[in-house]
Amino acid sequence: MTKTRTTTLAAALLAAGTFAGTGGSAQADILFWSTQAKPVEETQAMRGEVLSGFDEAVDYQASDGGPWLTRIQAELEAGSGTIGVLGGLHGDFTSLTDNLVDLSDIDLGGVTVNETFQQLGTLGTDEQKYLPWMQASYVMAANKKALEYLPEGADINALTYDELIAWTKTLAEETGGPKFGFPAGPKGLKHRFFQGYLYPSYTNSMVTKFRSPEAEEAWNKFKELWQYTNPASTGFAFMQEQLLTEDVWVAFDHTARLADAFNQRPDDFVAFPAPAGPTGRGFMPVVAGVAIPETAPDMEAAKALAAYMLKPETQIATLKATNFFPVVEVDLPDDMPAAVKISGAAIAAMSGAEDANPGLLPMGLGDNDGKFNQVYIDTFERIVLAGQDVRTVLDEQAETLRSIMEESGAPCWAPDEPSEGACPVE
């Protein structure tokens, strides 16, 4: 079945009221159609704790990405619809850019929104196609015992890769062995570090500059860091475990994989932003936003709801409901879990840094997503673990990456410049 016939069928089904949530009757509430907060308990929390404070009734409906896109495409094709507000990840919106209304005229009431994410919400246009809504990320963590070994004059909230290497070198020399831990095990998230942290920090790219001289410098820099990394890291998955046993004193991981350490011993650990390189402080945010389709039945109510989602109190309620962090300046209440407070401060510092350089989650790859990740894993294993020549490995892996991009046809995403068609590998 062709895409046109599929969407035409979807439009017919929509008209018949057979999509979940329409009930075949007139939609009185504002329909918030979202790919986020899908687990039942999160959906219930969104309805009962987050959206219940809004002035009008909201029907929050969570959906998988496929049906989510099919329904909004059907409404757009029909020229009218019931969806008032769309919730989704950055990548969910990229195929809808031309059909999302400009939100730059929404009055946010003096709320300070993260500038980096607000820029992402333009989707490469001169309009605000979505407003950032919430975020998750990866951070660094350290046992407070490690802080006395920081290089002189170093700011833990603004470290460079050179300073991190100097720190881990001193730790190894002064404490009797390597104290840096890295999730390099089979179930570790090492590929996300290379994609979203190392590459943006040295190449301002994730794909196009994969085999560049700057990428070569990045891998050589990581090889330096590896000298002072706990050799058992090739078996590490969740770094909270090694922090608690003190097998490592400094580590990198996703906030969810550090939470137990922060919650069990909140006075012993600190979280801080990932280091910066020549092209900025690369980091990989999982950014969700709210958007309004041009077919929204009540534009004024939809814009009011979008503004409501960015209120500080709404952001805190959303954090409690979803474990996604705020995208606006907000003081977290004292009753939040230790992991939330510790990680939240680091995420805010990292995403709000002047040199913040986000590398978004790969998008548009379809079934090639796993192959894309494997390129970075294989590159790490060949260069760092097997000691193969950096230039040779990058040239060979670049060909694999190029074939993946061409097969998927995925256009570039940040920090790479937008592309027409498949993202090129130089």
Side-chain angles (χ1 to χ4, degrees):
M1 183 180 291
T2 65
K3 181 177 179 181
T4 302
R5 288 184 60 195
T6 301
T7 52
T8 302
L9 174 60
L13 290 171
L14 179 67
T18 55
F19 271 107
T22 62
S25 59
Q27 180 69 48
D29 301 343
I30 303 171
L31 177 56
F32 192 151
W33 185 236
S34 176
T35 62
Q36 301 305 294
K38 289 184 294 183
V40 174
E41 62 276 13
E42 291 187 15
T43 299
Q44 292 173 343
M46 283 296 299
R47 294 169 180 164
E49 298 164 24
V50 178
L51 294 165
S52 58
F54 187 60
D55 292 338
E56 299 187 42
V58 180
D59 179 17
Y60 185 86
Q61 296 286 343
S63 166
D64 289 333
W68 179 88
L69 184 60
T70 298
R71 176 167 181 174
I72 183 57
Q73 285 178 334
E75 294 198 357
L76 292 168
E77 182 175 323
S80 65
T82 58
I83 297 170
V85 172
L86 292 165
L89 296 177
H90 175 91
D92 293 331
F93 295 124
T94 54
S95 64
L96 300 172
T97 303
D98 294 340
N99 304 111
L100 302 176
V101 302
D102 184 7
L103 304 183
S104 57
D105 63 341
I106 291 182
D107 181 7
L108 298 177
V111 171
T112 302
V113 184
N114 181 285
E115 291 184 11
T116 301
F117 297 157
Q118 196 152 10
Q119 182 60 37
L120 289 176
T122 65
L123 295 175
T125 71
D126 57 1
E127 297 182 349
Q128 195 69 46
K129 292 297 188 177
Y130 74 77
L131 289 173
W133 169 24
M134 55 186 185
Q135 63 165 321
S137 195
Y138 306 72
V139 295
M140 303 289 292
N143 189 308
K144 289 182 179 178
K145 292 192 294 188
L147 301 183
E148 63 181 279
Y149 300 98
L150 275 166
E152 185 175 354
D155 178 356
I156 194 171
N157 285 313
L159 290 178
T160 65
Y161 276 90
D162 286 336
E163 287 173 330
L164 176 62
I165 291 168
W167 185 19
T168 56
K169 180 177 186 290
T170 301
L171 277 170
E173 292 172 348
E174 297 293 329
T175 67
K179 289 294 187 290
F180 180 66
F182 187 72
K187 296 183 179 180
L189 297 172
K190 53 188 175 291
H191 52 289
R192 296 302 189 212
F193 176 83
F194 303 126
Q195 294 165 356
Y197 292 78
L198 189 67
Y199 261 82
S201 297
Y202 279 86
T203 71
N204 197 33
S205 169
M206 193 184 300
V207 176
T208 299
K209 303 286 187 182
F210 179 84
R211 59 175 298 276
S212 64
E214 294 83 2
E216 192 171 354
E217 179 188 1
W219 283 106
N220 280 318
K221 193 64 66 174
F222 191 79
K223 285 176 66 177
E224 285 186 56
L225 179 60
W226 192 256
Q227 296 177 73
Y228 312 112
T229 300
N230 186 316
S233 289
T234 51
F236 293 166
F238 286 55
M239 295 310 305
Q240 60 196 10
E241 300 165 11
Q242 284 70 42
L243 286 168
L244 286 169
T245 61
E246 300 193 9
D247 288 331
V248 304
W249 287 12
V250 181
F252 163 87
D253 214 337
H254 191 283
T255 54
R257 296 178 172 217
L258 297 167
D260 282 353
F262 296 153
N263 284 331
Q264 289 185 39
R265 290 164 49 189
D267 295 332
D268 292 344
F269 300 108
V270 295
F272 54 99
T279 54
R281 192 169 304 278
F283 75 106
M284 180 173 272
V286 181
V287 184
V290 287
I292 299 175
E294 59 190 8
T295 50
D298 187 337
M299 198 64 66
E300 183 177 341
K303 288 186 175 182
L305 178 56
Y308 171 81
M309 300 310 296
L310 271 67
K311 289 179 175 290
E313 58 269 28
T314 312
Q315 291 272 292
I316 291 170
T318 302
L319 169 57
K320 292 179 177 179
T322 66
N323 290 310
F324 268 65
F325 287 85
V327 294
V328 306
E329 287 188 9
V330 60
D331 292 323
L332 296 178
D334 292 335
D335 63 350
M336 300 298 290
V340 167
K341 290 189 282 189
I342 294 171
S343 295
I347 289 175
M350 183 166 60
S351 59
E354 289 184 2
D355 56 356
N357 190 14
L360 297 180
L361 283 168
M363 61 187 74
L365 295 168
D367 294 339
N368 287 300
D369 194 58
K371 295 178 183 177
F372 181 86
N373 293 336
Q374 195 63 43
V375 167
Y376 293 84
I377 294 171
D378 290 347
T379 303
F380 160 70
E381 292 181 347
R382 291 180 63 185
I383 290 174
V384 181
L385 301 186
Q388 296 180 24
D389 178 69
V390 178
R391 171 49 46 205
T392 301
V393 173
L394 288 180
D395 287 342
E396 292 177 1
Q397 292 296 132
E399 293 307 312
T400 303
L401 180 60
R402 182 179 289 112
S403 66
I404 291 170
M405 301 312 297
E406 291 176 352
E407 181 180 338
S408 66
C412 296
W413 56 87
D416 281 301
E417 294 295 323
S419 64
E420 290 291 335
C423 191
V425 180
E426 292 180 352

